[in-house]
Amino acid sequence: MRKDGRKNDQLRDMTFHLDWVSAPEGAVLVEAGNTRVLCSASLTEGVPRWRRDSGLGWVTAEYAMLPRATSTRSTRESVKGKLGGRTQEISRLIGRALRAGVDYQALGENTIEIDCDVLQADGGTRTASITGAWIALQRAIKVGKTNGFIPGEPLKDSICAISVGIIDGEPRLDLPYEEDVRAETDMNVVMTGAGKLVEVQGTAEGAPFSREELSQLLDLAASGCEALTRAQLFAAQAPQGARVTLVDGVVA
Amino acid sequence: MRKDGRKNDQLRDMTFHLDWVSAPEGAVLVEAGNTRVLCSASLTEGVPRWRRDSGLGWVTAEYAMLPRATSTRSTRESVKGKLGGRTQEISRLIGRALRAGVDYQALGENTIEIDCDVLQADGGTRTASITGAWIALQRAIKVGKTNGFIPGEPLKDSICAISVGIIDGEPRLDLPYEEDVRAETDMNVVMTGAGKLVEVQGTAEGAPFSREELSQLLDLAASGCEALTRAQLFAAQAPQGARVTLVDGVVA
Amino acid sequence: MRKDGRKNDQLRDMTFHLDWVSAPEGAVLVEAGNTRVLCSASLTEGVPRWRRDSGLGWVTAEYAMLPRATSTRSTRESVKGKLGGRTQEISRLIGRALRAGVDYQALGENTIEIDCDVLQADGGTRTASITGAWIALQRAIKVGKTNGFIPGEPLKDSICAISVGIIDGEPRLDLPYEEDVRAETDMNVVMTGAGKLVEVQGTAEGAPFSREELSQLLDLAASGCEALTRAQLFAAQAPQGARVTLVDGVVA
Amino acid sequence: MRKDGRKNDQLRDMTFHLDWVSAPEGAVLVEAGNTRVLCSASLTEGVPRWRRDSGLGWVTAEYAMLPRATSTRSTRESVKGKLGGRTQEISRLIGRALRAGVDYQALGENTIEIDCDVLQADGGTRTASITGAWIALQRAIKVGKTNGFIPGEPLKDSICAISVGIIDGEPRLDLPYEEDVRAETDMNVVMTGAGKLVEVQGTAEGAPFSREELSQLLDLAASGCEALTRAQLFAAQAPQGARVTLVDGVVA
Amino acid sequence: MRKDGRKNDQLRDMTFHLDWVSAPEGAVLVEAGNTRVLCSASLTEGVPRWRRDSGLGWVTAEYAMLPRATSTRSTRESVKGKLGGRTQEISRLIGRALRAGVDYQALGENTIEIDCDVLQADGGTRTASITGAWIALQRAIKVGKTNGFIPGEPLKDSICAISVGIIDGEPRLDLPYEEDVRAETDMNVVMTGAGKLVEVQGTAEGAPFSREELSQLLDLAASGCEALTRAQLFAAQAPQGARVTLVDGVVA
Amino acid sequence: MRKDGRKNDQLRDMTFHLDWVSAPEGAVLVEAGNTRVLCSASLTEGVPRWRRDSGLGWVTAEYAMLPRATSTRSTRESVKGKLGGRTQEISRLIGRALRAGVDYQALGENTIEIDCDVLQADGGTRTASITGAWIALQRAIKVGKTNGFIPGEPLKDSICAISVGIIDGEPRLDLPYEEDVRAETDMNVVMTGAGKLVEVQGTAEGAPFSREELSQLLDLAASGCEALTRAQLFAAQAPQGARVTLVDGVVA
């Protein structure tokens, strides 16, 4: 039994507040346990200079954390005047993950900028960001298609992500902060709705890990991503402003 | 009649979600019409180096906007690598406003850092920030007193703020974005709960203004601040996690 | 009686050295008591990108202080690699104040950049900057009209500014540094030559202030601005390189 | 057959020029095909402030590329004034990888800073950096032990890394640039001398990948790391200034 | 005959306004033709961390130009967020030049920071800065000795500087901007009052130069520095606020 | 006799590894004693914006040092986020020196960017950079002429540089670090192959120097530059990948 009462292969309860803010073309407030991330997708015509006249679109992402999303306050990167390595690394990961599910030709010469701002952090902020970002992306694309900006169907498949890790020798799914800091091995897995791998990032925080352990973690991640995919597809059909919840892996 | 149906001297409906995030010592999500600001107060022992061994505390504030809080996305200041003038100006204003209500001696050598992050912007973000920041400050101070960090009662009076302006020749209270951009004169007023002035910042955006117009605007601001003060004092007594609303100036 | 022998409603003696440097299209060295600010106006054809093809001109301003303008040396902002909040705030104020007196249509697609560099600081640097900047602006515009760059008469009215404050319970005009740091309330007022208000920035440094006190301060500021306006209009007619002085409010 | 004549499971020839520069406590110039990385390890007494009086040491790393290491010149990050995301990501990876092989207690309160500067880039710069960095680290530790700075044996195991990928549907080991840009899936694997996993970073650049493909890539990586480990252990015993080569996986 | 009527070996007329600003311990406004530089020297107790407990003092310098010191406005380095190469190079030169005349032991553990701010630029700003900076330094040292901060006599000799160059094939002394841009060879020479060389910086802007030409330029520079030294020594004895002029090399 | 066994007028042995890296159009690894600098020249079509449509080319240079090129590690300028004054000064010097030997008309509208990266530093890094940079430049120009990019013969003469100084009262040629730090006077001299002066930078580090000492130093530098020129011209004819050595001033 884990501290928060979950089984090792159980996701935290999640809620997706669709269109929680109204300015962006697509937006969702994701709650995964105590982790809370506001994902928004901004659709604009045109692409960066290096991509002009290619007929192809572009998707990019930025991740950031409010200074007091965590138990002690961290200095704002805008005040420090530079982006930290962790921030850039996660921003790059989110962008790469989403791009794996996008057909640039069908997007046309349009840019979608994803912003994932962590309002409260309790582990799994990068994976919640990816899962939520896809929902924001999907909603922005729907707007772009309705408005005639986007010529085709740019979504090849849904993209979601989850963290897994080995804590006290046991593989566990969806780590809160308390488990994350104690994990011997920590892994983030990004998958498509069809169950293929997009990104695998496993790190030995304590002792190095074996191929068997890696395999167990991937199994866990796959089962978590299946549930996340169900929630995402449900959200994709939900009306403006709806709230989608995932309780013990079941969409409510 | 204004576009949103309000009378010239009517506040937008406001909601204060107390403790909307749980990490900070004090926190509130403020909604003023469509403007949404997350205010948090972080209490730490000790003061900046230049104030050490003075027996006095310190209060400081930072204001920021999410990139897609507005109808078009703005570049993150962390990405640009520098703080814009507007951001710094508002951060300084919030800090100065709150400090006017604080007794540093009673605070002891503790620092309270206020963060006001605008999640959605529809005018009045700086005044909503000040009004909310005081609630976050008050909650953090309560925690500090309970924990024995804070030796006395540092709150001398409550502090709130509201915008007023002249639009189409008429003085109006609490401007949404649509009115703000059209205002001939634009003024932000910070007041104490006792009705004294802390800060008056009036700017002729179009034509210069007369002493009479200034006087009318200050009357409007005073009436708005009276209502805000009532809501703030109500919030100060409200239980953990409560939601306080102000509808047409009446606390609900 | 004030420390420097002035009455409460008396301006410091001022001198405007017109064209103190010769490179800028307009320039003036302003002395207000011991405060010394070099204001220059640079006129260039064209406007920033966001304003092109609008037929409208642009006026902008930058304020800075030499490191040893004050009694202790401050680090250069160029060395720190970033602009402080105070610098940006004052730069924005000066630009906004001057723009209130300018007709962009008449200016045509030209840009005037104002630089206010404080060589010696003894209080009132931002208000001396505004008052001097208008003179530099006026001289640059005269050059632009003579040269045929500027199609119309862009000056709608003169713009000047003065500080007022409450010290030891008494409202006083034109505060030197020694009074500024002791002021309970501190206010900067920008007015047009016609006596209308452009900007009112009042701050309670000590105790909050009342409407009556605000009113007294505005009266004082209005009388000071009347004298400043007389000096500005005199300077506007003065020959190249002239020196205009204002002694006890009288132009000499 | 690959363009450079290698089999799919064949490493590029590698050379380790030990002590290629003499200032650092440990240094090696690594050549892996046309990729050339200068790795140096700087040993200093003391640890960063946050780690003081813990009795534990610290290991950190920085990666950089000369502007003309690549076929087109890139702007220096020192000139741009900020570190790119890629640079920071790789620096973090190298540091994390090496730390997995270090016993901080045995290192004592000493810091080892690793610098990996890419002089010529032809794919696999991050993995060559890790493999070389461990050799530099090992040599610096030997110096520190000889000089009595380092109290114990901080090296728990050797650490090496290799890239693998799927090109034209075939899993391949040790990708040069030409293959790297065409890879459908690209993976960097960090392993210990004992054959355990330290870091697995797999990315679908083209189509998402399956568990089977992941497994094949890990097999390839494991075989490559076995050869690299042999070369590293040989280098660990080699005299000052020696040159160690690895031809078709055999140490020469 | 030169454009400004001078002979090839004739200095521009110079004026030193001693104590032109009053805050710094030493200050002088230098006018050399149309070049105008405000030099100030700030004396503070203590030395930078790396020099503490050495018993030795420190002298450092910073050079900067107002944006409109030149015929076209340049962007402020504080706005750009970084110091240009030219600025840093000249700052380093001024500091190095002055340090050549200072006995650190006699200065005691005190720091003197020199600021040279160019208010108007017409060639020779770096040499005028050095010549003026020595006067500001000398005045600050006098204050420090009077106040008992400075234990000995730190001034070993006076330091001055002048520019020379070859224009239209002729060696000339003290180049204004108009000659500077046309010079085939351009040289700045720093000398002691005793006529020894401190710094020689000669650059072929057009054609490379011969040893003979170098020799002629050094002769010219030496004669110019003799006159500058006379003015400096006169200024060293002059009363507070005096104005020292150098007309055709003669102190007036 | 000097510490390294050389006579006062003897150069250190030098080696030029031509084309040590293969990506740049021109490249050479220069070894001068223990100093090791990698010089590369990147040729690109087009010129900076301010030079377009002039028919003239451009040559620019950047100098940098690896963090552990020296006996203690220095922080990377990319990590600090700004270029130090020394770096910029040397970069400017290298560019200026090379430009003295280039005919822009014959270069056509092409840009050559020189990078000098110090891999190991033992004095004379800036002069070794200039001497090596000319070889890289020459090789890049040969490529550009072969490819038809460069219309004429842009090389007017070869450019080399050497350091000289007075140590223990004796003029010496080509200072290693150990002598450089003890030098009373330190001078860098840039010369053309024809023996004319391009740049003379002499600095009194200890006592000021006389005209006679300056003259002796220039004699020494001229003899050193003669030998360097011989090596450069030999290298200019050498085949791809050749190694050119200069032993006691004789090309081997």
Side-chain angles (χ1 to χ4, degrees):
Chain A
M1 191 64 115
R2 297 157 79 176
K3 250 198 186 149
D4 55 11
R6 281 186 291 148
K7 288 168 287 170
N8 282 347
D9 63 351
Q10 192 178 347
L11 285 176
R12 291 184 282 183
D13 291 351
M14 290 184 77
T15 309
F16 302 92
H17 302 257
L18 305 180
D19 315 300
W20 193 74
V21 287
S22 55
E25 283 69 36
V28 62
L29 175 69
V30 180
E31 290 181 36
N34 291 320
T35 287
R36 216 172 290 181
V37 185
L38 179 54
C39 304
S40 72
S42 300
L43 170 68
T44 47
E45 281 191 278
V47 284
R49 179 186 300 251
W50 52 270
R51 212 173 171 86
R52 269 184 214 153
D53 301 319
S54 64
L56 304 173
W58 185 239
V59 173
T60 184
E62 287 180 10
Y63 166 97
M65 229 187 230
L66 293 198
R68 195 59 201 278
T70 46
S71 63
T72 56
R73 188 178 182 276
S74 55
T75 306
R76 283 175 198 271
E77 295 185 321
S78 58
V79 168
K80 282 196 265 189
K82 56 182 167 186
L83 290 175
R86 181 182 175 278
T87 296
Q88 290 195 57
E89 195 169 316
I90 300 178
S91 295
R92 284 157 57 91
L93 170 64
I94 298 171
R96 217 161 53 222
L98 293 178
R99 286 192 291 268
V102 170
D103 175 345
Y104 290 134
Q105 196 86 46
L107 181 53
E109 286 206 14
N110 296 295
T111 297
I112 299 179
E113 288 165 292
I114 305 288
D115 287 289
C116 298
D117 285 273
V118 179
L119 308 184
Q120 189 161 273
D122 186 22
T125 62
R126 81 186 70 188
T127 52
S129 292
I130 291 170
T131 304
W134 186 82
I135 296 176
L137 175 72
Q138 184 270 342
R139 296 186 88 76
I141 282 173
K142 203 191 301 187
V143 167
K145 287 168 66 180
T146 305
N147 294 354
F149 283 111
I150 297 179
E153 173 48 72
L155 290 174
K156 299 191 291 188
D157 199 347
S158 64
I159 302 288
C160 65
I162 199 67
S163 75
V164 286
I166 301 177
I167 290 94
D168 303 334
E170 292 179 349
R172 290 187 182 165
L173 178 66
D174 192 9
L175 314 183
Y177 179 74
E178 177 270 330
E179 293 182 348
D180 191 53
V181 292
R182 291 194 301 118
E184 291 112 48
T185 293
D186 182 13
M187 192 153 79
N188 293 294
V189 181
V190 183
M191 297 185 79
T192 63
K196 288 259 194 158
L197 293 160
V198 168
E199 187 98 22
V200 173
Q201 293 201 339
T203 299
E205 303 283 356
F209 55 101
S210 66
R211 287 284 289 275
E212 291 81 301
E213 287 169 322
L214 176 63
S215 206
Q216 291 173 327
L217 290 174
L218 287 167
D219 288 342
L220 265 186
S223 80
C225 283
E226 259 181 70
L228 293 173
T229 298
R230 281 194 299 274
Q232 285 181 317
L233 299 184
F234 193 92
Q237 308 298 339
Q240 184 78 3
R243 179 176 305 196
V244 175
T245 59
L246 189 64
V247 178
D248 199 359
V250 179
V251 180
Chain B
M1 194 64 114
R2 297 157 79 175
K3 250 196 188 152
D4 55 11
R6 281 186 291 147
K7 287 167 289 171
N8 281 347
D9 62 352
Q10 193 178 345
L11 284 176
R12 290 184 282 183
D13 291 349
M14 291 184 78
T15 309
F16 302 92
H17 303 257
L18 305 180
D19 315 300
W20 193 74
V21 287
S22 57
E25 283 70 35
V28 62
L29 175 68
V30 181
E31 291 181 35
N34 291 320
T35 287
R36 217 172 289 180
V37 185
L38 179 54
C39 303
S40 73
S42 299
L43 170 67
T44 47
E45 279 191 278
V47 283
R49 180 187 299 251
W50 52 270
R51 211 174 171 88
R52 265 182 219 156
D53 301 319
S54 65
L56 304 174
W58 185 238
V59 173
T60 184
E62 286 179 9
Y63 166 97
M65 229 187 232
L66 292 198
R68 196 59 201 278
T70 46
S71 62
T72 56
R73 188 177 182 274
S74 55
T75 307
R76 283 175 196 271
E77 295 184 321
S78 58
V79 169
K80 283 195 266 187
K82 55 183 167 184
L83 291 174
R86 182 182 175 275
T87 297
Q88 290 196 57
E89 195 169 316
I90 300 178
S91 294
R92 285 157 56 90
L93 169 66
I94 299 171
R96 217 159 53 221
L98 292 178
R99 287 193 289 269
V102 170
D103 175 346
Y104 291 135
Q105 196 86 45
L107 180 53
E109 285 206 13
N110 297 295
T111 296
I112 299 178
E113 285 165 293
I114 304 288
D115 287 290
C116 297
D117 285 272
V118 179
L119 309 184
Q120 188 161 276
D122 185 22
T125 62
R126 79 187 71 188
T127 52
S129 292
I130 291 171
T131 303
W134 187 83
I135 295 175
L137 175 73
Q138 184 269 342
R139 295 186 89 77
I141 283 174
K142 204 193 297 187
V143 168
K145 287 168 67 178
T146 304
N147 295 354
F149 282 110
I150 297 179
E153 174 47 70
L155 290 175
K156 298 191 292 188
D157 200 348
S158 63
I159 302 289
C160 65
I162 199 69
S163 74
V164 286
I166 301 176
I167 290 95
D168 302 333
E170 292 180 348
R172 289 188 182 166
L173 180 65
D174 194 8
L175 313 183
Y177 179 74
E178 177 268 331
E179 293 182 348
D180 192 52
V181 292
R182 293 194 299 119
E184 291 112 49
T185 292
D186 182 15
M187 191 154 78
N188 292 294
V189 180
V190 184
M191 297 186 80
T192 64
K196 288 258 195 157
L197 293 160
V198 167
E199 188 99 20
V200 173
Q201 293 200 339
T203 299
E205 304 284 354
F209 54 102
S210 66
R211 286 285 290 276
E212 290 81 312
E213 288 169 320
L214 174 63
S215 205
Q216 290 173 326
L217 289 174
L218 287 168
D219 288 342
L220 266 186
S223 79
C225 283
E226 258 180 70
L228 293 173
T229 298
R230 280 193 301 273
Q232 285 182 316
L233 299 183
F234 193 92
Q237 308 298 340
Q240 186 76 4
R243 180 176 304 197
V244 176
T245 59
L246 189 65
V247 177
D248 198 0
V250 179
V251 181
Chain C
M1 192 64 115
R2 296 155 81 175
K3 247 194 188 156
D4 55 11
R6 281 187 292 147
K7 287 169 287 170
N8 282 347
D9 63 352
Q10 192 178 347
L11 285 176
R12 291 185 281 183
D13 291 351
M14 291 184 77
T15 309
F16 301 92
H17 302 256
L18 304 180
D19 315 300
W20 193 74
V21 286
S22 55
E25 283 69 37
V28 62
L29 174 69
V30 180
E31 290 181 37
N34 291 320
T35 288
R36 217 172 289 179
V37 185
L38 179 55
C39 303
S40 72
S42 300
L43 169 67
T44 47
E45 280 192 278
V47 284
R49 180 185 299 251
W50 52 269
R51 212 174 171 86
R52 267 183 215 153
D53 301 318
S54 64
L56 305 174
W58 185 239
V59 173
T60 183
E62 287 180 8
Y63 166 98
M65 230 188 228
L66 293 198
R68 196 57 201 279
T70 47
S71 62
T72 55
R73 188 178 182 275
S74 55
T75 306
R76 283 176 196 271
E77 295 184 323
S78 58
V79 169
K80 282 195 267 188
K82 56 182 167 185
L83 290 175
R86 182 182 176 276
T87 296
Q88 291 195 58
E89 195 170 317
I90 299 178
S91 293
R92 286 157 56 91
L93 170 64
I94 299 171
R96 217 160 54 221
L98 292 178
R99 287 192 290 268
V102 170
D103 175 345
Y104 291 134
Q105 196 85 46
L107 181 54
E109 284 205 15
N110 297 294
T111 297
I112 299 179
E113 287 166 290
I114 304 288
D115 288 289
C116 298
D117 285 272
V118 179
L119 308 184
Q120 188 160 275
D122 186 22
T125 62
R126 80 186 70 188
T127 51
S129 292
I130 291 170
T131 303
W134 186 82
I135 295 176
L137 175 72
Q138 185 269 343
R139 296 186 89 76
I141 283 174
K142 204 192 299 187
V143 167
K145 287 168 66 179
T146 303
N147 294 354
F149 283 111
I150 297 180
E153 173 48 70
L155 290 174
K156 298 190 293 190
D157 200 349
S158 63
I159 301 288
C160 65
I162 199 67
S163 75
V164 286
I166 301 176
I167 290 96
D168 303 334
E170 292 179 349
R172 289 185 183 167
L173 179 65
D174 192 11
L175 312 184
Y177 179 73
E178 177 268 332
E179 292 181 349
D180 191 52
V181 292
R182 292 193 300 119
E184 291 113 48
T185 293
D186 182 14
M187 192 152 80
N188 292 293
V189 181
V190 183
M191 297 185 80
T192 63
K196 287 259 194 158
L197 293 160
V198 167
E199 188 98 21
V200 173
Q201 294 201 339
T203 300
E205 304 283 355
F209 53 102
S210 65
R211 287 286 289 276
E212 292 81 302
E213 288 169 320
L214 175 63
S215 205
Q216 290 173 327
L217 290 174
L218 287 168
D219 288 343
L220 265 186
S223 80
C225 283
E226 259 179 69
L228 292 173
T229 299
R230 280 194 299 273
Q232 286 181 316
L233 299 183
F234 193 93
Q237 309 297 339
Q240 184 77 3
R243 181 175 303 196
V244 175
T245 59
L246 190 63
V247 178
D248 199 359
V250 179
V251 180
Chain D
M1 192 65 113
R2 297 155 81 175
K3 248 196 189 152
D4 54 12
R6 281 186 292 147
K7 287 168 289 173
N8 281 347
D9 63 351
Q10 192 178 346
L11 284 176
R12 291 184 282 183
D13 292 349
M14 291 184 76
T15 309
F16 301 92
H17 302 258
L18 305 180
D19 315 301
W20 194 74
V21 287
S22 56
E25 283 69 36
V28 62
L29 175 69
V30 180
E31 290 181 36
N34 291 321
T35 287
R36 216 173 288 180
V37 185
L38 178 54
C39 304
S40 72
S42 301
L43 169 68
T44 47
E45 282 192 277
V47 283
R49 181 186 298 252
W50 52 270
R51 212 171 170 88
R52 265 182 218 155
D53 301 319
S54 64
L56 304 174
W58 186 238
V59 173
T60 184
E62 287 179 8
Y63 166 97
M65 229 187 230
L66 292 199
R68 195 59 203 278
T70 46
S71 62
T72 55
R73 187 177 182 276
S74 55
T75 306
R76 285 175 195 271
E77 295 184 321
S78 58
V79 169
K80 282 195 265 188
K82 55 182 169 186
L83 291 174
R86 182 182 175 276
T87 296
Q88 290 195 59
E89 196 169 316
I90 299 178
S91 294
R92 285 158 56 92
L93 170 64
I94 299 171
R96 217 160 54 221
L98 293 178
R99 287 193 289 270
V102 170
D103 175 345
Y104 290 135
Q105 196 85 45
L107 180 53
E109 285 205 14
N110 296 294
T111 296
I112 298 179
E113 286 165 292
I114 304 289
D115 287 289
C116 298
D117 285 90
V118 179
L119 307 184
Q120 189 160 275
D122 186 22
T125 62
R126 79 186 70 189
T127 52
S129 292
I130 291 170
T131 303
W134 185 83
I135 296 176
L137 176 72
Q138 184 269 344
R139 295 186 89 75
I141 283 174
K142 203 192 301 188
V143 167
K145 286 169 66 180
T146 304
N147 294 353
F149 282 111
I150 296 179
E153 174 47 71
L155 290 175
K156 298 191 293 190
D157 200 347
S158 64
I159 301 289
C160 65
I162 199 67
S163 75
V164 285
I166 301 176
I167 290 94
D168 302 334
E170 294 179 347
R172 290 188 183 166
L173 179 65
D174 193 9
L175 313 184
Y177 179 74
E178 176 269 332
E179 293 182 349
D180 192 52
V181 291
R182 293 193 300 119
E184 291 111 51
T185 293
D186 182 15
M187 192 154 78
N188 293 294
V189 181
V190 184
M191 297 187 79
T192 63
K196 287 258 194 159
L197 294 160
V198 167
E199 189 98 21
V200 173
Q201 294 201 338
T203 300
E205 303 284 355
F209 54 102
S210 66
R211 285 288 288 276
E212 290 82 308
E213 289 169 319
L214 175 63
S215 206
Q216 291 173 325
L217 290 175
L218 287 168
D219 288 343
L220 265 186
S223 80
C225 283
E226 259 179 69
L228 292 174
T229 298
R230 281 195 299 275
Q232 285 182 317
L233 298 183
F234 193 92
Q237 308 297 339
Q240 185 77 5
R243 180 175 303 196
V244 176
T245 58
L246 190 63
V247 177
D248 200 359
V250 179
V251 180
Chain E
M1 192 65 114
R2 297 155 79 175
K3 247 195 189 154
D4 54 11
R6 282 187 290 148
K7 287 167 288 169
N8 281 346
D9 63 351
Q10 192 178 345
L11 285 176
R12 290 183 284 182
D13 291 349
M14 292 184 76
T15 309
F16 301 93
H17 302 258
L18 305 180
D19 315 300
W20 193 74
V21 287
S22 56
E25 283 69 35
V28 63
L29 174 68
V30 180
E31 291 181 36
N34 291 321
T35 288
R36 217 173 288 179
V37 185
L38 179 54
C39 304
S40 72
S42 299
L43 169 68
T44 47
E45 281 192 279
V47 283
R49 179 186 300 250
W50 51 270
R51 211 174 171 88
R52 265 183 217 155
D53 301 320
S54 65
L56 304 174
W58 185 239
V59 173
T60 184
E62 287 179 8
Y63 166 96
M65 230 187 230
L66 293 199
R68 196 57 203 279
T70 46
S71 62
T72 56
R73 188 178 181 274
S74 55
T75 306
R76 284 176 195 271
E77 295 184 321
S78 57
V79 169
K80 282 195 265 188
K82 55 183 167 184
L83 290 174
R86 181 181 176 276
T87 297
Q88 290 196 58
E89 195 170 317
I90 300 179
S91 293
R92 285 158 56 92
L93 169 65
I94 299 172
R96 217 160 54 221
L98 293 178
R99 287 193 289 270
V102 169
D103 175 345
Y104 290 135
Q105 196 85 44
L107 181 54
E109 284 205 14
N110 297 295
T111 297
I112 299 179
E113 286 164 294
I114 304 288
D115 287 290
C116 298
D117 285 89
V118 179
L119 308 184
Q120 189 160 274
D122 185 22
T125 62
R126 80 185 71 187
T127 52
S129 292
I130 291 171
T131 303
W134 186 82
I135 297 176
L137 175 72
Q138 184 269 342
R139 296 186 89 75
I141 283 175
K142 204 192 300 186
V143 167
K145 287 168 67 179
T146 304
N147 294 353
F149 282 110
I150 296 179
E153 174 47 69
L155 290 175
K156 298 192 291 189
D157 200 347
S158 63
I159 302 288
C160 64
I162 198 68
S163 75
V164 284
I166 300 177
I167 289 94
D168 302 334
E170 294 180 348
R172 290 187 183 166
L173 178 65
D174 193 10
L175 314 183
Y177 179 74
E178 177 269 333
E179 293 182 348
D180 193 53
V181 291
R182 293 193 299 120
E184 291 112 50
T185 292
D186 182 15
M187 191 154 78
N188 293 293
V189 181
V190 183
M191 297 185 80
T192 63
K196 288 258 195 158
L197 293 160
V198 167
E199 188 98 22
V200 173
Q201 293 201 339
T203 299
E205 304 284 355
F209 52 101
S210 66
R211 285 287 287 276
E212 290 81 296
E213 287 168 322
L214 175 63
S215 205
Q216 290 173 326
L217 290 174
L218 287 168
D219 288 342
L220 266 186
S223 79
C225 284
E226 258 179 70
L228 293 173
T229 299
R230 281 194 299 274
Q232 285 182 317
L233 298 184
F234 193 93
Q237 308 297 338
Q240 185 77 6
R243 180 176 303 197
V244 176
T245 59
L246 189 64
V247 177
D248 198 359
V250 180
V251 180
Chain F
M1 192 63 116
R2 296 155 81 174
K3 249 194 188 155
D4 54 12
R6 282 187 290 149
K7 286 168 289 169
N8 281 347
D9 62 352
Q10 192 178 346
L11 284 177
R12 290 184 283 184
D13 291 350
M14 291 184 77
T15 309
F16 301 92
H17 303 257
L18 305 180
D19 315 301
W20 194 74
V21 288
S22 56
E25 283 68 36
V28 62
L29 175 68
V30 180
E31 291 181 36
N34 291 319
T35 287
R36 217 172 288 179
V37 185
L38 180 54
C39 304
S40 72
S42 300
L43 169 67
T44 47
E45 279 192 278
V47 283
R49 179 187 299 253
W50 53 270
R51 212 172 171 87
R52 267 182 217 156
D53 301 319
S54 65
L56 304 174
W58 185 238
V59 173
T60 183
E62 286 179 9
Y63 166 97
M65 231 187 227
L66 292 198
R68 196 59 201 279
T70 47
S71 63
T72 55
R73 187 177 182 276
S74 56
T75 306
R76 283 175 198 271
E77 295 183 322
S78 58
V79 169
K80 283 196 266 188
K82 55 181 167 186
L83 291 175
R86 181 182 175 276
T87 297
Q88 290 196 58
E89 196 169 317
I90 299 178
S91 294
R92 285 157 56 90
L93 170 65
I94 299 171
R96 217 160 53 221
L98 293 178
R99 286 191 291 269
V102 170
D103 175 345
Y104 291 134
Q105 196 85 44
L107 181 54
E109 286 205 14
N110 296 293
T111 297
I112 299 178
E113 287 165 291
I114 305 288
D115 287 289
C116 298
D117 285 272
V118 180
L119 307 183
Q120 188 160 276
D122 186 21
T125 61
R126 82 186 69 188
T127 52
S129 293
I130 291 170
T131 303
W134 186 83
I135 295 176
L137 175 72
Q138 185 269 342
R139 296 186 88 76
I141 282 174
K142 205 192 300 187
V143 167
K145 286 168 67 180
T146 304
N147 295 353
F149 283 111
I150 297 180
E153 173 49 70
L155 289 175
K156 299 190 291 187
D157 199 347
S158 63
I159 301 288
C160 66
I162 198 66
S163 75
V164 285
I166 301 176
I167 290 95
D168 303 334
E170 293 178 349
R172 290 186 182 167
L173 178 66
D174 193 9
L175 313 184
Y177 180 73
E178 177 268 332
E179 292 181 350
D180 191 54
V181 292
R182 293 193 300 118
E184 291 112 48
T185 293
D186 182 15
M187 191 152 79
N188 293 294
V189 180
V190 182
M191 296 185 81
T192 63
K196 287 257 195 160
L197 294 160
V198 168
E199 188 99 20
V200 173
Q201 293 201 339
T203 300
E205 303 284 355
F209 53 102
S210 65
R211 286 285 289 275
E212 289 82 313
E213 287 169 321
L214 175 63
S215 204
Q216 291 173 326
L217 290 174
L218 287 168
D219 288 342
L220 267 184
S223 79
C225 282
E226 260 179 69
L228 293 173
T229 298
R230 281 193 299 274
Q232 285 181 317
L233 298 184
F234 193 92
Q237 308 297 340
Q240 184 77 3
R243 179 174 305 197
V244 176
T245 59
L246 190 63
V247 177
D248 199 359
V250 179
V251 180

